[in-house]
Amino acid sequence: MLTIDDESHPFVAGETVEAALRRADHFFPFMAVQLNGRWLRRDDWSSMVVEDGSSIRTVEMIAGG
């Protein structure tokens, strides 16, 4: 099981953070991502593999004015 923003999703072996976010429809153009309490660089999303039981949190950046 994988938790993304407090929602449970099925675990897929070998899936990257970016792939998991896209599959769960939690991928946004401007956002920050935390994996198991550790902030990730955007460059690492496509190479960091998610493990069973992992927790991903996202923070979407929005413009204001």
Side-chain angles (χ1 to χ4, degrees):
M1 191 59 59
L2 176 66
T3 303
I4 301 175
D5 293 332
D6 296 325
E7 296 176 4
S8 295
H9 295 273
F11 170 72
V12 177
E15 188 171 49
T16 64
V17 170
E18 182 176 346
L21 291 170
R22 289 184 184 277
R23 178 174 55 89
D25 198 27
H26 281 261
F27 190 88
F28 307 102
F30 300 101
M31 66 183 208
V33 174
Q34 195 178 57
L35 175 62
N36 297 324
R38 184 175 142 232
W39 292 104
L40 301 178
R41 293 177 4 152
R42 187 175 192 100
D43 293 342
D44 295 334
W45 299 355
S46 62
S47 61
M48 179 92 42
V49 176
V50 178
E51 297 177 5
D52 193 14
S54 291
S55 175
I56 298 174
R57 307 240 3 139
T58 64
V59 178
E60 186 179 3
M61 307 299 172
I62 57 173

